[in-house]
Amino acid sequence: MTAEVRTEVRTVRAGELDRYADGIREVYARAFAAPPWNEDPATADAYAERLARDALRPGFTAAVATAGGTVTGFATAWITPEVFPADRSYGQVAEALGPGRTRAWLCGALEVNELAVAPEAHGAGLGAALLHAVTEAAAPDGRCWLLTSVRAEAALRLYERTGWRRIGAPVPGAAALVVLLGPRHPQRAEADGWAGG
């Protein structure tokens, strides 16, 4: 008879991330190697380096899931700056929403940046637990958002099952990205059914 290994999800401060860095990198590599992301191992190395910089962002928060001392999942988030960034996919998001909605819906809100679960841990509610851990206390007035690919069907099912709602305006670009607002975001009613324009 084997003993069941209990999974623990806990929020961690930026200074504690080093303790989990190798496990986070491993989970990232395995989670994002599959479609629709198809990332190679070098991308996981770049993410590990970026995570150290991201941890310095205002409002940074993280959650880590461990089972028997092994990292099985993680999530990171931070407060989106009042001056909306233009790097990465931010410019495309601003183009889709327009400056007024971008400012009202996303600036100053908690942005869930990454959420990853090791493939063998899928289906146990770990993604929902990690998402809850990084957003529950850290989202100012319930304002949180995230960006994912419409091709990430399992992730979209998770987000929608946990109360997140898609904004109808597609984000331009080859990645087929979509913005989702969190379950307690005050602009959800305004965003429901809005298709851009």
Side-chain angles (χ1 to χ4, degrees), residues 77-132:
W78 55 71
I79 302 297
T80 303
E82 291 298 332
V83 176
F84 199 69
D87 62 334
R88 296 172 43 184
S89 298
Y90 290 113
Q92 295 162 313
V93 169
E95 182 181 339
L97 299 183
R101 286 183 181 86
T102 298
R103 192 171 33 262
W105 296 355
L106 310 183
C107 291
L110 184 76
E111 173 186 350
V112 177
N113 180 256
E114 295 292 352
L115 173 64
V117 174
E120 69 276 8
H122 286 186
L126 198 50
L130 287 162
L131 190 59
H132 180 79

Side-chain angles (χ1 to χ4, degrees), residues 126-150:
L126 198 50
L130 287 162
L131 190 59
H132 180 79
V134 294
T135 60
E136 186 58 25
D141 300 322
R143 296 176 70 237
C144 55
W145 71 283
L146 60 82
L147 186 65
T148 195
S149 173
V150 295

Side-chain angles (χ1 to χ4, degrees), residues 13-37:
R13 292 189 284 280
E16 297 175 279
L17 280 176
D18 282 351
R19 176 176 161 196
Y20 302 101
D22 290 341
I24 288 172
R25 188 223 162 275
E26 177 66 22
V27 168
Y28 184 99
R30 294 173 59 224
F32 292 107
W37 312 111

Side-chain angles (χ1 to χ4, degrees), residues 96-97 105 150 165-171 177-181 190-197:
L97 299 183
W105 296 355
V150 295
R165 294 290 178 264
R166 294 186 209 196
I167 292 177
V171 176
L177 298 174
V178 63
V179 175
L180 290 92
L181 298 182
E190 185 182 341
D192 281 347
W194 180 75

